[in-house]
Amino acid sequence: MTNEEIRPFRIDIPQAQLDDLARRLDNTRWPDEADGVGWSHGIPLAYTRELTEYWRTTYDWRAQEAALNAHPQFRTEIDGHDVHFLHIRSAEPTALPLVLTHGWPGSIVEFLDVIEPLTDPVAHGGDAADAFHLVIPTIPGFGFSGRTPGGWNPQRVAPVWAELMRRLGYDRYAAHGGDMGSVITRELGLIDPEHVVALHLTQLFDARVTAENADFSDPAEKSCVEKGYRYQYELGAYGMLQSSRPQSLAYALTDSPVGQLAWIAERFKDWTDSVDAPEDAVDRDALLTNVMIYWLNETAGSSARYYRDSADSWGKRDAPSTVPTAVAVFPHDINTPIRRIAEENNTIVRWTEFDRGGHFAALEEPDLVIEDLRTALRPYRR
């Protein structure tokens, strides 16, 4: 018999774990560094030491834990695994249910700044008719959903989300996602189209062009090709490693907090609207809380395995989707979807290109995401 119980959950990290982290940070064995290379060889030594010192002496996990616990959290077992999620119901009776899905190396932290404006728009200068009930799950194998043994990919997660929404009593809902979350969200529309009324995505990974099929007179298509080359020859090394040898990586990231910090912080520098450091684009404490969620739950390895367990689908065209789909394109993301390609196998109803922001859109530019979600999903309310 399936256990459909939904259990309240509260984050309460034992002090012993925080003391262990402090000892590991104090005893970090630092590498050397080539002269004058900046970020071109990876995250710089001076920056990493300074950020680690801030983490050790100034960052306050208990304050961040309290902020997370200010939102109702739960766990429920689906497909043999406990799924952690935030569930924030709006006081507005006509609110539209909306599931928000993070990616790698993100977490529920990505969405903290959009929760109150989306659930209580009147208190934030909006219209009550734009209210949402929010469900913000943690992907199994990530964060407070805990480690998975392998065999999980976006295609396996999507039915879990459909079941979660059913258990919560939502027979009609919208879905938003970024990074891996966009893949899960699109798949959710494919497998549950009778309940998913619309999608809002910040990435469409197969809606890109190459040098062979790009229109170079179009700046967006030219940029797409250029970003593709940079990703292939520079920025994509993390993906090659996680999709081929995630276990070898897991030893380093699970044992060394500075290793975990460097692995994630470099992505935030490369993928955001930043210039000199990730903090140009995202709050430093939010970045560290995101790192802490991976560290405290020891999910570096299980989250990386998603790349290994998804690799067979890379480069293949997505199945056609009939669910109304809105796409928000941020200029400093690592990829640029192209509308004419997206329209080949998606039902595109809105396409918004912004002048700022990057890969972690809701964390970098929450106001833009809030307004685009409200506008994009307004036609799909009853």
Side-chain angles (χ1 to χ4, degrees):
M1 179 181 294
T2 301
N3 181 5
E4 296 192 1
E5 179 187 10
I6 295 175
R7 311 182 307 278
F9 176 80
R10 184 174 178 83
I11 303 168
D12 186 14
I13 299 301
Q15 186 60 41
Q17 272 192 270
L18 303 182
D19 293 342
D20 174 71
L21 171 61
R23 284 192 296 270
R24 289 170 184 267
L25 293 176
D26 285 339
N27 293 320
T28 299
R29 188 168 71 167
W30 295 99
D32 64 352
E33 181 180 53
D35 294 334
V37 297
W39 285 82
S40 65
H41 285 201
I43 186 169
L45 179 60
Y47 170 76
T48 308
R49 295 192 74 143
E50 189 274 325
L51 183 57
T52 300
E53 178 66 16
Y54 178 88
W55 190 9
R56 174 67 179 89
T57 63
T58 305
Y59 172 81
D60 185 349
W61 164 255
R62 292 304 186 195
Q64 299 298 315
E65 184 180 67
L68 289 165
N69 282 331
H71 303 293
Q73 298 174 68
F74 305 88
R75 276 180 169 172
T76 189
E77 183 181 333
I78 306 176
D79 193 6
H81 193 81
D82 262 357
V83 176
H84 165 263
F85 63 99
L86 278 62
H87 184 203
I88 307 98
R89 285 188 59 85
S90 174
E92 301 296 339
T94 59
L96 175 67
L98 173 65
V99 57
L100 305 174
T101 307
H102 67 86
W104 184 93
S107 69
I108 57 172
V109 171
E110 292 182 49
F111 301 117
L112 295 182
D113 289 341
V114 306
I115 289 174
E116 292 185 5
L118 291 177
T119 56
D120 188 5
V122 174
H124 296 269
D127 190 323
D130 287 328
F132 295 94
H133 301 308
L134 295 183
V135 179
I136 309 176
T138 296
I139 300 171
F142 289 67
F144 294 103
S145 283
R147 294 180 291 184
T148 50
W152 282 83
N153 57 28
Q155 289 69 38
R156 184 172 176 180
V157 175
V160 172
W161 276 200
E163 171 61 15
L164 175 61
M165 297 304 277
R166 185 197 67 79
R167 287 188 191 180
L168 294 173
Y170 296 133
D171 63 358
R172 189 174 186 277
Y173 62 94
H176 161 87
D179 188 79
M180 187 186 301
S182 70
V183 183
I184 294 168
T185 299
R186 190 181 184 281
E187 185 70 17
L188 181 59
L190 290 176
I191 62 105
D192 198 23
E194 64 272 28
H195 299 118
V196 178
V197 298
L199 308 177
H200 184 275
L201 309 175
T202 56
Q203 281 89 32
L204 267 176
F205 289 106
D206 83 333
R208 291 175 285 185
V209 292
T210 66
E212 287 71 36
N213 66 348
D215 175 3
F216 283 93
S217 66
D218 183 331
E221 298 203 16
K222 182 174 183 291
S223 174
C224 182
V225 174
E226 291 170 347
K227 287 181 178 181
Y229 278 128
R230 188 181 181 210
Y231 185 85
Q232 182 177 358
Y233 294 110
E234 178 188 353
L235 301 184
Y238 79 94
M240 293 183 66
L241 180 55
Q242 294 192 162
S243 64
S244 59
R245 297 293 186 271
Q247 187 62 35
S248 298
L249 177 66
Y251 298 113
L253 301 191
T254 304
D255 187 60
S256 168
V258 171
Q260 180 71 90
L261 172 66
W263 193 244
I264 289 178
E266 185 183 41
R267 309 286 84 73
F268 274 77
K269 168 61 170 61
D270 287 342
W271 300 357
T272 61
D273 192 355
S274 63
V275 178
D276 298 316
E279 294 93 324
D280 297 340
V282 300
D283 177 77
R284 173 173 278 199
D285 283 353
L287 170 62
L288 287 170
T289 300
N290 190 70
V291 172
M292 285 287 280
I293 287 174
Y294 282 81
W295 173 259
L296 295 171
N297 293 286
E298 302 177 15
T299 53
S302 55
S303 61
R305 278 195 291 271
Y306 270 77
Y307 285 72
R308 185 72 174 83
D309 291 332
S310 303
D312 289 347
S313 66
W314 291 8
K316 297 178 181 178
R317 292 308 308 273
D318 291 335
S321 171
T322 59
V323 178
T325 301
V327 180
V329 182
F330 291 85
H332 296 279
D333 203 344
I334 51 173
N335 67 83
T336 302
I338 301 302
R339 182 165 187 167
R340 69 176 176 88
I341 305 298
E343 288 179 337
E344 293 176 359
N345 59 350
N346 296 276
T347 304
I348 302 298
V349 295
R350 178 179 170 86
W351 191 274
T352 312
E353 297 183 5
F354 293 101
D355 62 358
R356 63 186 187 277
H359 191 73
F360 304 95
L363 189 57
E364 296 180 63
E365 299 292 345
D367 290 345
L368 296 182
V369 172
I370 290 163
E371 186 56 36
D372 205 56
L373 278 167
R374 289 174 177 170
T375 304
L377 298 178
R378 202 169 284 146
Y380 305 98
R381 297 174 178 271
R382 282 179 173 163

